[in-house]
Amino acid sequence: MTAVHLFDALATLDPSGLLHQENGTADGLAQLAEKLVAASLDEVRRIREYEQQFVFGAQRHPDADLAVRRSVWEMFAAWTDDAEQVLARAKSVARTGVPVSGADQLDDAIGRVRARLTVTPEQVLAAKEQVRQGQFVPAKEMRDELHARLRA
Amino acid sequence: MSYTPGFAPDAQSQLGALDPSDQEVAIDELDRLAARPPSGDEYVGEVVTEGVGTRRYVFVHVTIDQVRSIVTLVGVGCVERPAGG
């Protein structure tokens, strides 16, 4: 059972979305949501570190390079699924009027990772091979083409 | 020292599939990276732009040839999410 399931179990006990503790404070569920958000942000930070340390700049056989890149890409994909679950819980708490620290950052982190997941490791390696073969389109050419299309 | 920015042909195709405004953002980011090249051989940059009720995330993946002073885009993508959920 993940911590998200714990959140769901506690939320079911108190559908108002707020846990009333013995001392009268009413932010137990918000505190749990904040911990989940912080843990999720830590995790994606760690995956980025793995990528930086073990993927970028490493010289490997192409098959091994692809396997390593794909493993990190899949870590990002799995993280995104989990993070969306956490964000949904954080938003459910926020809707009760109790802000959840870090929720905006998590939303932003999910967007950033989802953007990069639109390109697969296979696509990156194919493009890198083109670079290795000297295939290169100057950026100025691309910008000029874009502006010409926009003017047309 | 500025590097020369450019595209791998496959990344050029990926760029062409994006909205023109996102293409401009990606090219701007590539130019920015070429003007201040990151250390190392590869780098991932992300740019967030705000729209009406939405937020757009553009990502660029570049390789950096520190010897030939070239920054090459090898992957580019974009997603849109509702702003503030």
Side-chain angles (χ1 to χ4, degrees):
Chain A
M1 179 182 258
T2 69
V4 165
H5 293 133
L6 171 62
F7 180 100
D8 291 344
L10 293 170
T12 303
L13 295 176
D14 184 355
S16 70
L18 301 172
L19 287 182
H20 295 269
Q21 300 173 347
E22 286 181 6
N23 63 4
T25 59
D27 61 355
L29 211 49
Q31 287 176 13
L32 177 56
E34 283 185 5
K35 287 182 180 182
L36 294 178
V37 165
S40 189
L41 287 169
D42 279 348
E43 191 180 346
V44 76
R45 204 172 296 123
R46 211 162 24 245
I47 299 170
R48 287 179 186 275
E49 286 171 5
Y50 291 155
E51 180 177 58
Q52 193 67 41
Q53 186 174 357
F54 300 113
V55 177
F56 294 166
Q59 301 299 319
R60 294 189 178 92
H61 183 278
D63 290 345
D65 195 18
L66 177 59
V68 172
R69 286 172 187 272
R70 178 143 280 286
S71 71
V72 171
W73 191 90
E74 285 168 0
M75 270 192 265
F76 276 125
W79 174 82
T80 305
D81 292 342
D82 290 345
E84 292 279 19
Q85 297 285 314
V86 170
L87 184 62
R89 271 65 179 183
K91 285 179 177 174
S92 74
V93 171
R95 278 194 293 273
T96 68
V98 182
V100 176
S101 174
D104 287 344
Q105 283 172 271
L106 184 61
D107 200 350
D108 198 49
I110 292 170
R112 290 169 186 268
V113 172
R114 282 208 179 283
R116 60 189 310 173
L117 289 173
T118 61
V119 179
T120 65
E122 288 82 359
Q123 289 173 305
V124 168
L125 286 186
K128 285 188 71 179
E129 177 59 19
Q130 292 174 332
V131 174
R132 198 187 64 77
Q133 293 173 359
Q135 299 180 47
F136 181 83
V137 182
K140 183 179 182 313
E141 195 176 300
M142 290 295 297
R143 192 187 288 281
D144 290 347
E145 272 181 31
L146 174 62
H147 288 170
R149 277 203 310 275
L150 291 174
R151 279 195 302 270
Chain B
M1 175 188 152
S2 288
Y3 285 11
T4 303
F7 291 76
D10 280 4
Q12 181 185 10
S13 302
Q14 291 166 13
L15 186 83
L18 303 183
D19 285 352
S21 60
D22 297 326
Q23 292 184 37
E24 189 105 49
V25 168
I27 297 172
D28 286 348
E29 178 65 1
L30 177 61
D31 282 346
R32 192 189 68 77
L33 292 172
R36 290 186 180 179
S39 59
D41 298 333
E42 281 182 64
Y43 182 83
V44 167
E46 295 145 352
V47 183
V48 185
T49 58
E50 302 281 345
V52 181
T54 62
R55 201 173 278 161
R56 298 182 72 79
Y57 298 85
V58 174
F59 116 98
V60 298
H61 188 152
V62 299
T63 58
I64 305 131
D65 186 332
Q66 306 284 0
V67 176
R68 296 165 61 214
S69 303
I70 294 173
V71 175
T72 309
L73 195 88
V74 293
V76 58
C78 175
V79 297
E80 181 180 79
R81 287 174 67 82

